[in-house]
């Protein structure tokens, strides 16, 4: 019985999609200094304006494009059809 449970648990773990853990990644990262050489990085920003609001809360920081982002937020092109 214990072996069956281990096999079922291992199969369930292997069938999970690891890419879903990157669902919180956005196209912009906010980098903010939090004091004494420490910093915070938040890469879940959906727009540049959202990123700027994150770092202007009294913290010194900057916004930069997320190098790990693979989505298409805000860059959806409209299709042109020829008739």
């Amino acid at each position: 019985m214990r072996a069956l449970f281990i096999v079922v648990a291992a199969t369930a773990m292997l069938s999970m999609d690891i890419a879903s853990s990157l669902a919180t990644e956005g196209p912009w990262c906010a980098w903010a200094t939090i004091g004494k050489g420490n910093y915070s990085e938040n890469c879940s920003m959906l727009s540049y304006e959202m990123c700027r609001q994150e770092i202007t809360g009294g913290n010194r920081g900057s916004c930069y494009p997320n190098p790990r982002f693979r989505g298409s937020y805000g860059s959806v092109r409209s299709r042109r059809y020829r008739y």
Side-chain angles (χ1 to χ4, degrees):
M1 185 69 176
R2 188 179 293 180
L4 178 64
F5 176 73
I6 292 173
V7 169
V8 169
T11 304
M13 287 191 310
L14 291 174
S15 67
M16 290 190 308
D17 186 17
I18 295 173
S20 66
S21 65
L22 300 176
T24 59
E25 293 285 322
W28 290 95
C29 291
W31 181 86
T33 304
I34 55 176
K36 295 187 179 183
N38 298 322
Y39 67 92
S40 169
E41 181 182 45
N42 182 359
C43 290
S44 65
M45 303 296 142
L46 300 178
S47 67
Y48 182 75
E49 291 79 19
M50 186 182 207
C51 182
R52 293 295 300 165
Q53 289 177 358
E54 178 76 17
I55 65 167
T56 58
N59 297 329
R60 295 181 183 176
S62 62
C63 294
Y64 60 92
N66 185 354
R68 297 176 302 273
F69 182 68
R70 294 185 184 159
S72 63
Y73 291 134
S75 64
V76 177
R77 298 169 124 191
S78 63
R79 295 184 179 176
R80 294 183 185 186
Y81 296 102
R82 278 188 137 168
Y83 295 105

